[in-house]
Amino acid sequence: MSASVNLGSNARTSDYGPNSAWAEEVRQLAKDRDAVILAHNYQVPEIQDIAHHVGDSLGLSRVAATVDASTIIFCGVHFMAETAKILSYDKTVLIPDANAGCSLADTINADQLRQWKAEHPGAIVVSYVNTTAAVKAETDICCTSSNAVEVVQSIPADKEILFCPDQFLGAHAQRETGRTNMHIWMGECHVHAGINGADLKAMVAAEPEAELFIHPECGCATSAMYLASSGVVPMERTKILSTSGMVTAAEQTKAKKVLVATETGMLHQLRKANPLVIFEPVNRAAVCKYMKMITPEKLLNSLRNGTDVVDVPRDIADKARLSVERMIAIGTPSRTKE
Ligand code: 13P
Ligand code: SF4
């Protein structure tokens, strides 16, 4: 076991670099615990850089389902760690701070979903992965931002669909599939809903040559498609993408500048993927306070003390697993960085 480092509250960012005492202890403790560290693309750069895998919800779920390590440390928000537990029930799943929630997941609970289902008997429930385990247990098939369109397409055309909880992702899936028998829950993520059409129009006017990468949870996603279809920005330069879809698009782009509409933690992977391109946020204030609750100090504490343990009651996990396994079987594998 390595010597413990003392990380006081005055620690500086450089104290968490890849060659720091912090990084050395994290790596050693992960080895001692037989733990794999997974980090979402919105985590702070230091955590993305030390993680064994960095990716989007779908990619990280797939890693969680197949990984050999006996412990998974999930650096992301609580529903993501719960999804890992559902998929790998016999493993220990830890999150460095169990209070890291999600405003979107909070917009629907299992009782509300049961009530909605009772109003639409026979409908197929599609839930975004940003939901609690109890909601997933009431769901037929989960989806993520990278496979929502394929998941909706997989459902027979004559079946009514209840899509929850994100209204903007629902509108995107509806637009792409042309589905008319789809009811959409009016939930939203406060971070992405805050990236609105007015912000986007102002940025596009200031940067007419730039490409646009837009997460489908954004309030501006509909405006972006409107701007593209009305010729204000060329359709081929407007891309609605999951977070890992953005990394792949960043590697391939020929643009000099890309405007990015999502949580600003994303910029770290994009800049690493293509250092020649300028990536600019559409809204600099788009910061998820829940994602940022996972700090380098908390990751170290988690490894030292085996906290916070993520648990899902077995009956809920067993029901939820069916909808999550259907989700990971659909769509092209989204990349994770090792
Ligand atoms: P991705 O699945 O695209 O990583 O998005 C997850 C999320 O929480 C977006 O806010
Ligand atoms: Fe939830 Fe929004 Fe944060 Fe994503 S960015 S984790 S949807 S609150």
Side-chain angles (χ1 to χ4, degrees), residues 199 203 260 262 264 267 271 279-287:
D199 290 339
M203 288 288 280
V260 182
T262 193
T264 56
L267 296 165
R271 287 171 181 154
F279 294 96
E280 258 191 45
V282 170
N283 182 342
R284 280 175 204 285
V287 176

Side-chain angles (χ1 to χ4, degrees), residues 42 77 79 102-104 130 189-192 217 288 290-291:
Y42 297 162
V77 291
F79 76 80
C102 168
S103 63
L104 175 57
N130 297 41
C189 151
H190 70 293
V191 179
H192 285 89
E217 274 180 36
C288 175
Y290 302 112
M291 286 282 179

Side-chain angles (χ1 to χ4, degrees), residues 28-47:
Q28 186 59 48
L29 287 172
K31 214 180 259 179
D32 295 346
R33 274 194 183 275
D34 185 31
V36 64
I37 303 172
L38 310 186
H40 187 262
N41 287 317
Y42 297 162
Q43 290 289 293
V44 295
E46 296 79 6
I47 290 183

